Amino acid sequence: MKDWKEKIKQLAKLLKNANNVVAFTGAGISTESGIPDYRGTGGVWKRYQPVYFDEFVASHDSRCEYWRRKKELYESFTQGKPNKAHLALAELERKGKLEMLITQNIDGLHYDAGNKKVIELHGTNRQVYCLDCLKRYPSEEIFPLLFEGVDVPQCKECGGWLKPATISFGQAMPVEETEQATEFSRRCNLFIAIGSSLSVQPASLMPLYAKQSGAKLAIINFTETQYDSQADIIIREKAGLVLSRLVEEFSSL
Ligand code: NAD
Ligand code: ZN
Protein backbone atom coordinates (compact mmCIF):
# COMPACT_ATOMS: atom_id res chain seq x y z
CA MET A 1 0.00 0.00 0.00
CA LYS A 2 1.23 3.46 -0.89
CA ASP A 3 2.44 5.82 1.78
CA TRP A 4 -0.13 8.59 2.56
CA LYS A 5 2.28 11.33 1.45
CA GLU A 6 2.58 9.63 -1.94
CA LYS A 7 -1.17 9.46 -2.17
CA ILE A 8 -1.44 13.19 -1.50
CA LYS A 9 0.97 13.81 -4.38
CA GLN A 10 -1.16 11.59 -6.59
CA LEU A 11 -4.30 13.48 -5.53
CA ALA A 12 -2.61 16.83 -6.19
CA LYS A 13 -1.97 15.68 -9.78
CA LEU A 14 -5.59 14.61 -10.21
CA LEU A 15 -6.60 18.01 -8.88
CA LYS A 16 -4.32 19.76 -11.34
CA ASN A 17 -5.76 17.84 -14.29
CA ALA A 18 -9.42 18.05 -13.31
CA ASN A 19 -11.46 20.99 -14.55
CA ASN A 20 -14.55 20.32 -12.46
CA VAL A 21 -13.86 19.48 -8.83
CA VAL A 22 -16.45 18.90 -6.13
CA ALA A 23 -15.61 18.53 -2.44
CA PHE A 24 -18.06 16.79 -0.16
CA THR A 25 -17.68 17.11 3.60
CA GLY A 26 -19.11 15.49 6.70
CA ALA A 27 -18.85 15.89 10.44
CA GLY A 28 -15.27 14.50 10.44
CA ILE A 29 -13.92 17.71 8.92
CA SER A 30 -15.05 19.64 12.01
CA THR A 31 -13.81 17.32 14.77
CA GLU A 32 -10.46 19.18 14.70
CA SER A 33 -12.51 22.32 15.49
CA GLY A 34 -13.83 20.65 18.66
CA ILE A 35 -17.26 19.68 17.28
CA PRO A 36 -17.98 15.98 17.83
CA ASP A 37 -19.06 13.84 14.86
CA TYR A 38 -21.87 11.27 15.02
CA ARG A 39 -20.20 8.00 14.17
CA GLY A 40 -16.50 8.55 14.95
CA THR A 41 -14.90 7.37 18.23
CA GLY A 42 -16.17 10.33 20.31
CA GLY A 43 -19.35 10.43 18.21
CA VAL A 44 -22.68 11.66 19.52
CA TRP A 45 -24.49 8.43 18.51
CA LYS A 46 -22.26 6.51 20.91
CA ARG A 47 -24.33 8.26 23.61
CA TYR A 48 -27.74 9.02 22.08
CA GLN A 49 -30.34 7.71 19.70
CA PRO A 50 -31.50 10.45 17.29
CA VAL A 51 -34.87 12.17 17.82
CA TYR A 52 -36.88 11.66 14.62
CA PHE A 53 -38.79 14.53 13.05
CA ASP A 54 -42.23 12.95 13.59
CA GLU A 55 -41.39 12.44 17.29
CA PHE A 56 -40.39 16.10 17.56
CA VAL A 57 -43.72 17.16 16.03
CA ALA A 58 -45.85 14.74 18.05
CA SER A 59 -44.39 14.70 21.55
CA HIS A 60 -43.46 17.41 24.00
CA ASP A 61 -41.01 15.08 25.76
CA SER A 62 -39.20 14.53 22.45
CA ARG A 63 -39.05 18.29 21.80
CA CYS A 64 -37.58 18.83 25.27
CA GLU A 65 -35.04 16.07 24.75
CA TYR A 66 -34.07 17.40 21.31
CA TRP A 67 -33.52 20.95 22.56
CA ARG A 68 -31.67 19.67 25.65
CA ARG A 69 -29.11 18.03 23.36
CA LYS A 70 -28.85 21.12 21.15
CA LYS A 71 -28.20 23.18 24.29
CA GLU A 72 -25.49 20.72 25.39
CA LEU A 73 -23.70 21.03 22.04
CA TYR A 74 -24.28 24.76 21.62
CA GLU A 75 -20.97 25.83 23.13
CA SER A 76 -18.92 23.62 20.81
CA PHE A 77 -20.82 25.04 17.84
CA THR A 78 -20.42 28.70 18.83
CA GLN A 79 -16.78 28.33 19.84
CA GLY A 80 -15.69 26.14 16.91
CA LYS A 81 -13.40 27.95 14.47
CA PRO A 82 -12.48 26.78 10.97
CA ASN A 83 -9.48 24.43 11.11
CA LYS A 84 -6.73 23.68 8.58
CA ALA A 85 -9.05 21.48 6.54
CA HIS A 86 -11.74 24.17 6.16
CA LEU A 87 -9.08 26.78 5.34
CA ALA A 88 -7.50 24.55 2.68
CA LEU A 89 -10.87 24.15 0.93
CA ALA A 90 -11.36 27.92 1.02
CA GLU A 91 -7.92 28.29 -0.56
CA LEU A 92 -8.88 25.87 -3.34
CA GLU A 93 -11.99 27.94 -4.06
CA ARG A 94 -9.91 31.14 -4.16
CA LYS A 95 -7.56 29.45 -6.61
CA GLY A 96 -10.58 28.75 -8.82
CA LYS A 97 -10.16 25.01 -8.31
CA LEU A 98 -13.43 24.17 -6.58
CA GLU A 99 -16.66 24.09 -8.56
CA MET A 100 -18.79 23.38 -5.51
CA LEU A 101 -18.50 22.39 -1.86
CA ILE A 102 -21.34 20.13 -0.78
CA THR A 103 -21.57 19.72 2.98
CA GLN A 104 -23.65 17.63 5.32
CA ASN A 105 -22.47 19.85 8.14
CA ILE A 106 -24.69 22.27 9.97
CA ASP A 107 -21.95 24.24 11.72
CA GLY A 108 -21.41 26.99 9.11
CA LEU A 109 -17.61 26.69 9.38
CA HIS A 110 -17.10 26.52 5.60
CA TYR A 111 -18.58 30.01 5.30
CA ASP A 112 -16.40 31.23 8.19
CA ALA A 113 -13.36 29.86 6.35
CA GLY A 114 -14.27 31.92 3.29
CA ASN A 115 -15.97 29.48 0.91
CA LYS A 116 -18.85 31.04 -0.99
CA LYS A 117 -19.87 28.18 -3.27
CA VAL A 118 -21.42 25.95 -0.61
CA ILE A 119 -24.49 23.73 -0.59
CA GLU A 120 -25.67 22.91 2.93
CA LEU A 121 -27.56 19.68 2.38
CA HIS A 122 -28.69 19.25 5.97
CA GLY A 123 -29.50 22.86 6.80
CA THR A 124 -27.82 25.03 9.40
CA ASN A 125 -27.60 25.27 13.14
CA ARG A 126 -27.22 29.03 12.83
CA GLN A 127 -30.92 29.55 12.26
CA VAL A 128 -34.08 28.40 13.97
CA TYR A 129 -37.52 28.25 12.35
CA CYS A 130 -41.16 28.02 13.37
CA LEU A 131 -42.84 24.75 12.43
CA ASP A 132 -46.16 26.59 11.95
CA CYS A 133 -45.49 29.93 10.21
CA LEU A 134 -41.93 29.10 9.01
CA LYS A 135 -40.55 32.39 10.36
CA ARG A 136 -36.77 32.18 10.76
CA TYR A 137 -34.71 33.53 13.64
CA PRO A 138 -30.94 33.75 14.10
CA SER A 139 -29.87 31.09 16.61
CA GLU A 140 -28.17 33.64 18.85
CA GLU A 141 -31.58 35.22 19.44
CA ILE A 142 -33.20 31.94 20.53
CA PHE A 143 -30.57 29.73 22.19
CA PRO A 144 -30.05 32.10 25.18
CA LEU A 145 -33.67 31.35 26.15
CA LEU A 146 -32.62 27.74 26.83
CA PHE A 147 -30.06 28.96 29.33
CA GLU A 148 -32.80 31.05 31.01
CA GLY A 149 -34.76 27.85 31.65
CA VAL A 150 -37.04 27.56 28.58
CA ASP A 151 -37.39 23.89 27.53
CA VAL A 152 -38.76 24.40 24.03
CA PRO A 153 -38.65 27.90 22.54
CA GLN A 154 -41.79 29.20 20.82
CA CYS A 155 -42.34 31.53 17.88
CA LYS A 156 -42.70 35.18 18.89
CA GLU A 157 -45.23 35.73 16.09
CA CYS A 158 -47.57 32.76 16.34
CA GLY A 159 -46.53 30.70 19.38
CA GLY A 160 -45.60 27.68 17.22
CA TRP A 161 -42.79 25.34 18.24
CA LEU A 162 -39.34 26.39 17.10
CA LYS A 163 -36.76 23.97 15.74
CA PRO A 164 -33.20 24.53 14.53
CA ALA A 165 -33.10 24.83 10.72
CA THR A 166 -31.32 21.49 10.42
CA ILE A 167 -32.70 18.39 8.72
CA SER A 168 -33.63 15.78 11.32
CA PHE A 169 -33.86 12.07 10.67
CA GLY A 170 -37.19 11.40 8.98
CA GLN A 171 -37.50 15.00 7.77
CA ALA A 172 -37.77 15.83 4.05
CA MET A 173 -34.54 16.95 2.41
CA PRO A 174 -34.42 20.49 1.00
CA VAL A 175 -35.47 20.01 -2.62
CA GLU A 176 -33.38 22.70 -4.30
CA GLU A 177 -30.17 21.87 -2.42
CA THR A 178 -30.53 18.15 -3.10
CA GLU A 179 -31.15 18.72 -6.81
CA GLN A 180 -28.19 21.08 -7.10
CA ALA A 181 -25.88 18.73 -5.21
CA THR A 182 -26.92 15.85 -7.46
CA GLU A 183 -26.31 17.95 -10.55
CA PHE A 184 -22.84 19.13 -9.41
CA SER A 185 -21.90 15.57 -8.45
CA ARG A 186 -22.94 14.24 -11.87
CA ARG A 187 -21.00 16.95 -13.71
CA CYS A 188 -17.68 16.82 -11.88
CA ASN A 189 -14.62 14.86 -12.93
CA LEU A 190 -13.01 14.72 -9.47
CA PHE A 191 -15.05 14.17 -6.32
CA ILE A 192 -13.26 14.42 -2.97
CA ALA A 193 -15.17 13.13 0.07
CA ILE A 194 -13.77 14.29 3.41
CA GLY A 195 -14.65 13.27 6.97
CA SER A 196 -17.87 11.45 6.23
CA SER A 197 -18.91 7.90 7.03
CA LEU A 198 -20.92 8.14 3.75
CA SER A 199 -23.79 6.37 5.42
CA VAL A 200 -26.58 8.98 5.51
CA GLN A 201 -28.81 8.83 2.43
CA PRO A 202 -29.48 10.62 0.14
CA ALA A 203 -26.32 12.69 0.82
CA SER A 204 -24.18 9.56 0.62
CA LEU A 205 -25.40 8.92 -2.93
CA MET A 206 -23.41 11.92 -4.21
CA PRO A 207 -20.08 10.04 -4.55
CA LEU A 208 -21.96 7.31 -6.38
CA TYR A 209 -23.48 9.80 -8.86
CA ALA A 210 -19.99 11.19 -9.48
CA LYS A 211 -18.46 7.77 -10.00
CA GLN A 212 -21.29 6.65 -12.29
CA SER A 213 -20.62 9.70 -14.45
CA GLY A 214 -16.96 8.77 -14.81
CA ALA A 215 -15.39 11.02 -12.15
CA LYS A 216 -12.36 10.03 -10.11
CA LEU A 217 -13.24 9.48 -6.45
CA ALA A 218 -10.95 10.33 -3.51
CA ILE A 219 -11.94 9.56 0.08
CA ILE A 220 -10.20 11.16 3.06
CA ASN A 221 -11.59 9.52 6.18
CA PHE A 222 -10.33 7.69 9.27
CA THR A 223 -12.66 4.74 8.91
CA GLU A 224 -13.90 2.54 6.07
CA THR A 225 -16.87 3.55 3.95
CA GLN A 226 -19.19 1.63 1.64
CA TYR A 227 -17.55 3.29 -1.39
CA ASP A 228 -13.95 2.38 -0.60
CA SER A 229 -13.91 -0.35 -3.25
CA GLN A 230 -14.86 2.24 -5.89
CA ALA A 231 -12.40 4.91 -4.76
CA ASP A 232 -9.33 5.82 -6.81
CA ILE A 233 -7.52 7.15 -3.75
CA ILE A 234 -8.22 6.54 -0.05
CA ILE A 235 -6.29 8.44 2.62
CA ARG A 236 -6.86 7.52 6.27
CA GLU A 237 -5.22 10.48 7.97
CA LYS A 238 -6.42 13.66 9.67
CA ALA A 239 -8.39 15.86 7.28
CA GLY A 240 -6.52 19.01 8.41
CA LEU A 241 -3.13 17.49 7.70
CA VAL A 242 -4.12 15.93 4.39
CA LEU A 243 -5.87 18.98 2.92
CA SER A 244 -3.22 21.49 3.97
CA ARG A 245 -0.52 19.30 2.39
CA LEU A 246 -2.69 18.79 -0.66
CA VAL A 247 -2.89 22.54 -1.25
CA GLU A 248 0.91 22.84 -0.82
CA GLU A 249 1.55 20.01 -3.29
CA PHE A 250 -0.97 21.39 -5.74
CA SER A 251 0.56 24.86 -5.55
CA SER A 252 4.01 23.49 -6.28
CA LEU A 253 2.97 21.65 -9.47
P1 NAD B 1 -20.32 10.78 10.63
O1 NAD B 1 -20.24 11.16 12.07
O2 NAD B 1 -21.24 9.69 10.23
O3 NAD B 1 -18.87 10.37 10.11
C1 NAD B 1 -17.73 11.14 10.36
C2 NAD B 1 -16.53 10.39 9.82
O4 NAD B 1 -15.39 11.22 9.90
C3 NAD B 1 -16.21 9.10 10.60
O5 NAD B 1 -16.13 8.04 9.68
C4 NAD B 1 -14.85 9.41 11.26
O6 NAD B 1 -14.01 8.28 11.27
C5 NAD B 1 -14.27 10.48 10.36
N1 NAD B 1 -13.39 11.46 11.01
C6 NAD B 1 -13.57 12.08 12.21
N2 NAD B 1 -12.61 13.01 12.41
C7 NAD B 1 -11.80 12.96 11.31
C8 NAD B 1 -10.63 13.69 10.91
N3 NAD B 1 -10.10 14.65 11.70
N4 NAD B 1 -10.06 13.40 9.72
C9 NAD B 1 -10.57 12.41 8.92
N5 NAD B 1 -11.69 11.70 9.25
C10 NAD B 1 -12.29 11.98 10.42
O7 NAD B 1 -20.60 12.12 9.84
P2 NAD B 1 -21.39 12.39 8.49
O8 NAD B 1 -21.02 11.37 7.47
O9 NAD B 1 -21.24 13.81 8.23
O10 NAD B 1 -22.92 12.11 8.85
C11 NAD B 1 -23.44 12.62 10.05
C12 NAD B 1 -24.59 13.60 9.97
O11 NAD B 1 -24.44 14.33 11.16
C13 NAD B 1 -24.54 14.60 8.89
O12 NAD B 1 -25.76 14.57 8.31
C14 NAD B 1 -24.37 15.98 9.55
O13 NAD B 1 -25.48 16.78 9.21
C15 NAD B 1 -24.52 15.73 11.02
N6 NAD B 1 -23.49 16.31 11.91
C16 NAD B 1 -22.91 17.52 11.63
C17 NAD B 1 -21.93 18.03 12.47
C18 NAD B 1 -21.32 19.36 12.11
O14 NAD B 1 -21.97 20.18 11.50
N7 NAD B 1 -20.05 19.59 12.46
C19 NAD B 1 -21.53 17.33 13.61
C20 NAD B 1 -22.15 16.09 13.89
C21 NAD B 1 -23.12 15.59 13.02
ZN1 ZN C 1 -44.59 31.13 13.93
Side-chain angles (χ1 to χ4, degrees):
M1 207 168 85
K2 271 192 191 158
D3 164 53
W4 62 272
K5 290 179 194 156
E6 271 309 307
K7 291 191 200 168
I8 293 176
K9 284 189 178 152
Q10 197 188 338
L11 182 53
K13 283 184 196 141
L14 286 182
L15 195 58
K16 193 85 182 174
N17 293 329
N19 59 15
N20 192 323
V21 180
V22 164
F24 175 88
T25 64
I29 199 171
S30 295
T31 54
E32 292 170 60
S33 297
I35 301 174
D37 60 9
Y38 279 174
R39 295 175 188 77
T41 30
V44 171
W45 295 151
K46 294 271 188 291
R47 290 183 288 146
Y48 298 134
Q49 285 299 306
V51 173
Y52 278 71
F53 186 65
D54 58 348
E55 296 171 325
F56 184 94
V57 173
S59 136
H60 193 64
D61 283 352
S62 297
R63 286 191 284 275
C64 289
E65 176 61 12
Y66 179 89
W67 274 106
R68 195 188 58 71
R69 295 178 192 178
K70 283 284 176 184
K71 180 183 170 192
E72 193 180 305
L73 290 169
Y74 187 58
E75 202 178 330
S76 66
F77 272 94
T78 45
Q79 309 225 324
K81 300 272 178 298
N83 63 51
K84 285 196 290 186
H86 298 102
L87 296 173
L89 291 178
E91 180 73 17
L92 286 183
E93 186 184 308
R94 271 195 300 278
K95 288 178 180 296
K97 207 59 227 191
L98 209 53
E99 202 64 24
M100 188 49 72
L101 171 50
I102 303 169
T103 188
Q104 300 171 90
N105 292 346
I106 53 176
D107 55 34
L109 291 182
H110 288 305
Y111 286 115
D112 291 351
N115 284 89
K116 297 194 169 57
K117 297 196 269 182
V118 180
I119 297 173
E120 290 183 317
L121 266 185
H122 292 164
T124 177
N125 220 18
R126 294 192 172 177
Q127 287 184 348
V128 164
Y129 78 105
C130 169
L131 289 181
D132 288 341
C133 74
L134 304 182
K135 183 177 164 61
R136 287 199 168 224
Y137 299 87
S139 288
E140 59 267 27
E141 198 179 314
I142 301 301
F143 272 78
L145 299 173
L146 303 173
F147 295 91
E148 289 164 17
V150 173
D151 288 336
V152 181
Q154 286 173 272
C155 179
K156 293 173 188 172
E157 303 270 316
C158 78
W161 298 120
L162 295 182
K163 181 185 170 296
T166 54
I167 308 298
S168 295
F169 282 94
Q171 188 171 5
M173 290 287 286
V175 176
E176 202 177 315
E177 280 83 350
T178 309
E179 279 176 6
Q180 280 183 358
T182 304
E183 186 62 20
F184 277 101
S185 302
R186 289 210 164 110
R187 275 207 309 256
C188 73
N189 45 31
L190 174 61
F191 187 102
I192 311 176
I194 305 141
S196 173
S197 60
L198 300 179
S199 57
V200 183
Q201 282 213 20
S204 64
L205 294 173
M206 302 302 155
L208 197 60
Y209 295 146
K211 199 64 201 170
Q212 283 168 349
S213 311
K216 298 277 186 204
L217 173 62
I219 298 177
I220 300 165
N221 201 58
F222 282 158
T223 48
E224 286 178 13
T225 78
Q226 59 177 322
Y227 298 121
D228 286 6
S229 60
Q230 302 191 50
D232 299 276
I233 299 181
I234 301 173
I235 306 176
R236 297 203 196 289
E237 291 291 332
K238 272 189 172 181
L241 177 66
V242 175
L243 291 180
S244 51
R245 281 187 87 115
L246 176 66
V247 172
E248 279 171 28
E249 287 290 344
F250 170 76
S251 307
S252 71
L253 286 175

